[in-house]
Amino acid sequence: MARRPTLKDVASEAGVHPATASRALNPETRHLVNDETAQRVHQVADSLGYQPNPIARSLKTARSASIGLIIPDLTNPLFPPIVRGIEDVLGGVGYNAWIINTDNDPARETAAVESLRNRSVEGLVFATARLHHPFIEQLAAGGTPTVLVNRRLAVSDVPSVTGDDAGGVAMAMRHLVDLGHRQIVHLAGPQDLSTGVNRLRAFRQALEDHGLENSPSRLKLCSAWAETAGAKAVTELLDDGVEFTAVLAGNDLLALGCYDALAERGLSCPGDVSVVGFNDMPFVDKLSPPLTTVRIPHYELGAEAAHLLLERLRAPDRTARSVLLPLTLVNRQSTAPPRRL
Amino acid sequence: MARRPTLKDVASEAGVHPATASRALNPETRHLVNDETAQRVHQVADSLGYQPNPIARSLKTARSASIGLIIPDLTNPLFPPIVRGIEDVLGGVGYNAWIINTDNDPARETAAVESLRNRSVEGLVFATARLHHPFIEQLAAGGTPTVLVNRRLAVSDVPSVTGDDAGGVAMAMRHLVDLGHRQIVHLAGPQDLSTGVNRLRAFRQALEDHGLENSPSRLKLCSAWAETAGAKAVTELLDDGVEFTAVLAGNDLLALGCYDALAERGLSCPGDVSVVGFNDMPFVDKLSPPLTTVRIPHYELGAEAAHLLLERLRAPDRTARSVLLPLTLVNRQSTAPPRRL
DNA sequence: TTGAAAGCGCTAACAG
DNA sequence: CTGTTAGCGCTTTCAA
């Protein structure tokens, strides 16, 4: 197999110095070279099938046209669309992403970031942010271009791209109230994540806005975004005799658990209890009943995060900006007017 | 921010030549150096927080401790487990993967592979293989270490890791026959993919094995692994008055379409028609009825593919070997004895 | 506008 | 066992 041509090959074939060939081939520096020469170099490069060696370039420039993407777990259906959004935008400008799964293990996170830095990644996108996340804060404070996606930090100027949870909850609650519901419970997600606390906060706000009683018994804190946690919460609610006609689940998995618990007690959805989820995961439209849920534009979240990061790379001194993407209520069959008044 | 220490820093701090430091730090060559010296070098490296620069190493060695992984689309729930299986195994030996989504576009595939080679990836894993796939065949013939996962080529010695479709279909068919079904239709997937043809072939074999009539009318070729294709196929079957009591769908998406078509015609599953899927995608246990399906161990497929590739990298001359992983039937509620005899 | 020269950080002959 | 030397392929001063 013939050795791949190098810049030197192109240069000698075109009768110029390698430095000139480099300048001619690099769009950034092409203007420094005689137009005619540049064209010749390009022709030779094409005919030889020359492809620059990104490794050599990285070594010299300490840049790599790549970024690191840190996610909890690729098999969680939330993340693939985010990843694709990021990759599609990056790909458009010749960048690539290294994807790391941390399984929410801080040790893996730090190790991964260390190894990414050795690879000279130019920036980092985290989908793993907890409300208090010293590691990320340090990194960002240390000047590493960093963007958060899907989740954000509690107080910080690290730019983030997230869904407008407050708006989403408000829509969901209005929907339930419009249907006639007055006794609504919330299955809140982990309170160390921005999504968990923001949705809970918005739930309380909505109760107030609609003049509904803010009864502590109508709130369940779930320690994980998991079906079992949702089922457990609803079972306890039922056992405690809490009255409710609707459930706002912190996410779709919790809503799924809710379905399970309801079914186990012989309660029908939406006949006895309406349920609203969050995320619009794949296939929740295939449940029975199809789940009414607040859709988060995950692909767009990723795309926007990539844009933000690229912008930071180009203009590091521009002030950080976070973006909130609008959510939409997907109205399916798991919500209906309450049976009892 | 202090410059990261280089090998030279470590060497001078330890009072040795950089080459010695290199040998001491690299496990492969550590035995070439005095034990005492090596220890000192390691200590200095630790205290300085030295991390080798993989880019410089790659440039020198033309190896990169990374491989390329070419998949159709990360948002298809089939692939994330495969990816994780691969990454987990590779990670264990210090390797990483570049993930590329092709969206089944051959042009993107060739472009991606080209760019991966520029990055000196040491091998390639394809999850995009079609039965006839000249590009992959050329690559493998050209000496690029290549492994296929999930799908394989028609005739070729390119090693692959796939599920045992024949065995899976046999199990599913036996299950249906044991329930009493005699009129079984197959929704076959795309016939340019090994999965599509292998399952169809196994279906025919099973008909023969069980002494069932091989009626052409009981077969529908679907042009895509998509819900709409499955729905269309079943609707046509019904319109044509074909008699059947069970459907073996080529995959879960096709089975989903089958559910839709059945529901639209007011037929119940499994009361009127039993349905078996393929893959055991996430959440098919939440459908109503929960889908009986043939489970493919996607994570293990990925892990095995990574092992195979690593082995090829270590011993390129060993003869290529393909592996077939056993499938299991997940018996849920979409199958039952036929109503009519 | 182009060439010369140096060097990014590392490893691999080769000598000693 | 260790040091010397050279160079992977590219970019970037600096000088002409």
Side-chain angles (χ1 to χ4, degrees), chain A residues 268-293:
Chain A
S268 92
C269 170
D272 296 305
V273 176
S274 287
V275 176
V276 180
F278 229 96
N279 278 353
D280 196 22
M281 286 193 337
F283 304 113
V284 294
D285 56 328
K286 298 295 169 194
L287 302 176
S288 65
L291 182 68
T292 294
T293 187

Side-chain angles (χ1 to χ4, degrees), chain A residues 82-194:
Chain A
I82 295 179
V83 173
R84 291 242 31 196
I86 291 173
E87 289 191 328
D88 287 354
V89 169
L90 291 181
V93 294
Y95 271 65
N96 286 99
W98 285 106
I99 302 170
I100 306 284
N101 296 273
T102 66
D103 290 320
N104 292 312
D105 174 352
R108 288 183 65 166
E109 184 167 86
T110 52
V113 168
E114 192 58 35
S115 101
L116 288 169
R117 309 194 76 184
N118 293 332
R119 301 193 122 90
S120 299
V121 297
E122 300 179 31
L124 260 17
V125 176
F126 284 91
T128 53
R130 294 185 307 279
L131 229 34
H132 300 284
H133 207 134
F135 178 62
I136 293 180
E137 290 171 44
Q138 279 164 30
L139 229 40
T144 306
T146 303
V147 169
L148 312 181
V149 67
N150 193 44
R151 303 168 174 179
R152 40 184 316 180
L153 303 179
V155 292
S156 136
D157 46 2
V158 185
S160 64
V161 181
T162 56
D164 178 12
D165 283 331
V169 167
M171 284 168 31
M173 290 294 281
R174 165 156 301 288
H175 171 65
L176 291 172
V177 168
D178 284 352
L179 284 171
H181 293 275
R182 292 292 174 274
Q183 300 172 317
I184 306 172
V185 304
H186 179 44
L187 309 187
Q191 295 295 298
D192 59 338
L193 304 180
S194 62

